Amino acid sequence: AQTVTQSQPEMSVQEAETVTLSCTYDTSENNYYLFWYKQPPSRQMILVIRQEAYKQQNATENRFSVNFQKAAKSFSLKISDSQLGDTAMYFCAFMRAGTASKLTFGTGTRLQVTL
Amino acid sequence: SQTIHQWPATLVQPVGSPLSLECTVEGTSNPNLYWYRQAAGRGLQLLFYSVGIGQISSEVPQNLSASRPQDRQFILSSKKLLLSDSGFYLCAWNGLAGFEQYFGPGTRLTVT
């Protein structure tokens, strides 16, 4: 079974600064996907960014980027130029390739962006 | 474009009462559909998933059941609710690429 660990329950960052959220996972699979989801106070789960394990290049989506270290089984999210609207819970998630796309989630990191 | 709907948005039910939560997806066909539960202050737990009409897989044994009567409809049910069934229930589909998941707005269930 796969496990996803987020060791930072809460983090805080000032507006316009950069913050990195950590995530580690455990799997024996070679083909899989990793995701970061954002859950604002509305509780809607929003897909932020995804990474395919077979790709060496780190994924980037505007101010969001990841540092994917496959050998270390690490998948951190960097948010640049933090904005007040980035305040949310952030969940790291794992999905084996070809298995009806079932997601395994970490316990989340609560990010607060302050003025 | 594709849209996923859930209703009701909020529900308060007494212990022992039945439950029916509905999820529908628009703008696609034959999606994989998923039910997750999020307990207060915790991550998401996969409850059921479906790869087609009438095909249901259960991930966690519990007081709940799921059905897929139509291609784009997924229903979560219970005959008798327990206090421990309280939580936030999210439906998701697997996206056009097949390996992502997009979530509905969720249903907040409180069992009293």
Side-chain angles (χ1 to χ4, degrees):
Chain A
Q2 289 76 36
T3 59
V4 178
T5 301
Q6 294 180 248
S7 58
Q8 305 154 313
E10 294 184 1
M11 294 193 71
S12 180
V13 63
Q14 286 190 322
E15 196 177 23
E17 297 296 308
T18 296
V19 64
T20 299
L21 309 183
S22 301
C23 172
T24 58
Y25 59 95
D26 188 23
T27 184
S28 58
E29 301 290 331
N30 193 48
N31 295 322
Y32 53 87
Y33 305 96
L34 295 163
F35 305 87
W36 280 98
Y37 281 87
K38 169 184 177 181
Q39 189 178 40
S42 68
R43 301 195 75 175
Q44 172 88 50
M45 290 289 286
I46 302 166
L47 177 62
V48 175
I49 198 166
R50 76 164 189 266
Q51 174 79 42
E52 293 89 334
Y54 63 84
K55 289 187 177 179
Q56 292 187 335
Q57 185 174 6
N58 289 324
T60 299
E61 289 286 344
N62 300 315
R63 297 182 295 107
F64 299 88
S65 61
V66 299
N67 183 3
F68 173 49
Q69 301 290 327
K70 190 172 183 180
K73 297 180 181 176
S74 171
F75 183 59
S76 61
L77 174 70
K78 185 171 80 171
I79 306 175
S80 304
D81 186 26
S82 296
Q83 301 175 359
L84 294 177
D86 295 332
T87 293
M89 283 288 288
Y90 286 82
F91 291 94
C92 179
F94 172 99
M95 178 193 297
R96 285 170 55 192
T99 56
S101 309
K102 294 182 286 182
L103 283 168
T104 300
F105 284 86
T107 53
T109 295
R110 184 176 305 277
L111 177 67
Q112 181 72 46
V113 181
T114 61
L115 292 171
Chain B
S1 64
Q2 298 73 41
T3 310
I4 181 167
H5 302 279
Q6 286 185 246
W7 62 90
T10 305
L11 191 60
V12 180
Q13 292 283 91
V15 169
S17 64
L19 173 74
S20 180
L21 303 182
E22 189 166 344
C23 170
T24 59
V25 180
E26 295 179 355
T28 188
S29 60
N30 198 32
N32 290 347
L33 297 172
Y34 307 83
W35 278 112
Y36 289 88
R37 176 169 60 198
Q38 185 178 30
R42 303 183 67 178
L44 276 71
Q45 179 186 41
L46 178 64
L47 302 176
F48 301 95
Y49 69 94
S50 172
V51 300
I53 295 174
Q55 300 179 63
I56 307 295
S57 295
S58 174
E59 288 292 299
V60 182
Q62 59 215 318
N63 185 42
L64 302 170
S65 62
S67 62
R68 186 168 175 176
Q70 299 180 42
D71 181 44
R72 290 169 289 175
Q73 183 185 33
F74 203 23
I75 296 173
L76 184 68
S77 304
S78 174
K79 292 182 179 178
K80 289 185 178 182
L81 283 168
L82 306 172
L83 286 174
S84 58
D85 292 324
S86 292
F88 191 60
Y89 289 82
L90 288 150
C91 181
W93 74 288
N94 62 320
L96 294 178
F99 58 87
E100 298 175 335
Q101 286 191 21
Y102 297 95
F103 288 81
T107 295
R108 188 186 309 272
L109 172 66
T110 303
V111 182
T112 61

